[in-house]
Amino acid sequence: MEAAIITIMALLFLSFVALGVFVTVKAVKATKRGVDRTLDQARRTVEDTTLRAKSFGQTGVAGELARLRLSLRTSMRATQEALQAGVGEDASLKESLDLFHRLSAHGIELDGDLKRLEREPDRAWVSGQLPELTARTERITSSADALRRAARERALKFAEDDLSMLSEQIDVEAGALRHWTTGPEAAHAAQDTYGTAPGATPASTAPKAASGDAGPEAGEPAAITAPDPRRTAYPWEKSTRPETTT
């Protein structure tokens, strides 16, 4: 009996130790991923700032290379953010995101080529490569811009269609709420019901209103009771001050 208890206690202890090791490893990995993301973001920020400074402050081959890299990185990053933000709400963008990943491989290769050419000492040879590099950059950025704009136009179209449908539903509901002002049919119905012209007080209900009868008799239309002004339904309504008694 004692041996079984000791065995159970040992197994529980080993289970807690394994669970603690597992939780620790997961926490360390999560922390490492967070640190890596922070470092990557900081490195991208530094590179973008450096490229922006070179594109404005330098002329010639160095400045042109910096402008090409900055244009490429800006376009690809904006497209990636737009597609990743929209794919959660629109599953049709998944194919567009797959196409962007293929395009991104060409963009990464081009950025690497431009980065290596920045360290090339033969500036004359690099200058001869600029037309081809400019054409490659424009092709990649044009494709990325087309994907990004199409995704945004699609989202705007869906939002516009939803707003139009909502406006139509609200118009129908507003008309239903104003059922007493729908036209001459409503006026004839009111005249048939009360036996008088619209707006006139029926003779059969006038004495009851004057005498303060509590409820309408069977067959008579129920009166529309005005809401109690002391009761508020919305936070922006001010509560009325109660009357003082002397």
Side-chain angles (χ1 to χ4, degrees), residues 113-127:
D113 293 341
L114 293 172
K115 190 174 184 179
R116 283 189 294 271
L117 289 176
E118 288 178 345
R119 299 187 296 269
E120 175 63 39
D122 190 353
R123 292 302 182 185
W125 180 81
V126 175
S127 178

Side-chain angles (χ1 to χ4, degrees), residues 97-240:
L97 191 59
D98 294 338
L99 291 175
F100 173 77
H101 288 158
R102 294 173 57 187
L103 182 66
S104 181
H106 293 277
I108 292 173
E109 181 181 1
L110 175 60
D111 186 69
D113 293 341
L114 293 172
K115 190 174 184 179
R116 283 189 294 271
L117 289 176
E118 288 178 345
R119 299 187 296 269
E120 175 63 39
D122 190 353
R123 292 302 182 185
W125 180 81
V126 175
S127 178
Q129 302 297 317
L130 283 178
E132 190 269 337
L133 294 172
T134 303
R136 285 176 61 190
T137 304
E138 290 178 353
R139 289 181 62 185
I140 294 176
T141 55
S142 297
S143 299
D145 293 344
L147 281 176
R148 183 177 68 255
R149 291 165 185 165
R152 289 178 177 173
E153 290 174 2
R154 179 181 177 87
L156 290 175
K157 177 62 176 174
F158 284 163
E160 183 180 354
D161 291 344
D162 184 67
L163 180 59
S164 299
M165 186 180 302
L166 180 61
S167 299
E168 293 176 0
Q169 293 175 355
I170 290 176
D171 290 341
V172 171
E173 180 65 18
L177 292 176
R178 301 191 192 96
H179 59 86
W180 64 89
T181 60
T182 53
E185 293 82 0
H188 290 306
Q191 186 173 1
D192 293 339
T193 303
Y194 295 104
T196 58
T201 305
S204 59
T205 58
K208 291 182 177 55
S211 60
D213 193 357
E217 296 181 359
E220 294 183 356
I224 300 179
T225 350
D228 187 353
R230 292 172 297 178
R231 296 176 61 186
T232 58
Y234 301 100
W236 57 82
E237 292 182 352
K238 294 183 179 180
S239 58
T240 57

